Amino acid sequence: MQILRHAGRTSGWVVAVLLWLPLAGGCRGALVGDWHLVEAIPNREVFSLDNATFRRDGTFSAATTIEGLTTAEQGQYDFNGFKLKLRPRAGGQRAYLASVRMGRLELADGPRKVVLQKGKRGP
């Protein structure tokens, strides 16, 4: 009887993992597209990511501002639904806490935060 109870719990766990796997692969899909900045904390001169494009092939392009230096970047990205890692072609890597909800992308780096809206900026 003990073996059957254990097997039932194990099979339930396996089913949960199997149901979660397709969703994990879809995280990148939620990010794919064009995004524009709508809010930067403390301000866009200290930290921002604007006019970003994330592609299905794992590449990105964006205008980034970090500590007053604005750069047009291109490179690779990884997104797991909770963390966004950017690896610009120029070198280095940055990681942000990230969430995508209802057409909004929020990125946090300590006390700094940006909010982007899906789609290109209007006229």
Side-chain angles (χ1 to χ4, degrees), residues 9-61:
R9 275 186 260 138
T10 301
S11 64
W13 180 83
V14 169
V15 169
V17 168
L18 291 174
L19 290 173
W20 177 80
L21 283 174
L23 296 175
C27 292
R28 181 180 282 178
L31 196 62
V32 170
D34 298 313
W35 298 84
H36 65 273
L37 182 71
V38 293
E39 183 179 10
I41 298 169
N43 60 56
R44 74 179 308 140
E45 289 78 32
V46 171
F47 175 61
S48 72
L49 185 77
D50 198 5
N51 298 320
T53 300
F54 295 95
R55 296 173 199 83
R56 287 198 188 284
D57 66 0
T59 62
F60 81 96
S61 58

Side-chain angles (χ1 to χ4, degrees), residues 2-3 11 20 34 42-43 49 56 62 65 75 79 83 89 98 100-101 103 117 119 121:
Q2 183 71 14
I3 293 171
S11 64
W20 177 80
D34 298 313
N43 60 56
L49 185 77
R56 287 198 188 284
T65 301
F79 179 59
K83 188 179 282 187
R89 285 185 192 154
V100 177
R101 288 188 303 261
Q117 185 73 41
R121 188 182 315 277

Side-chain angles (χ1 to χ4, degrees), residues 55-77:
R55 296 173 199 83
R56 287 198 188 284
D57 66 0
T59 62
F60 81 96
S61 58
T64 60
T65 301
I66 299 174
E67 303 302 335
L69 179 62
T70 301
T71 307
E73 291 185 323
Q74 294 183 6
Q76 302 287 318
Y77 75 92

Side-chain angles (χ1 to χ4, degrees), residues 31 35 49 52 54 79 84 98-101 103-107 114-118:
L31 196 62
W35 298 84
L49 185 77
F54 295 95
F79 179 59
L84 174 65
S99 67
V100 177
R101 288 188 303 261
R104 292 174 69 92
L105 169 62
E106 295 185 14
L107 302 175
V114 293
V115 178
L116 294 94
Q117 185 73 41
K118 191 152 196 177

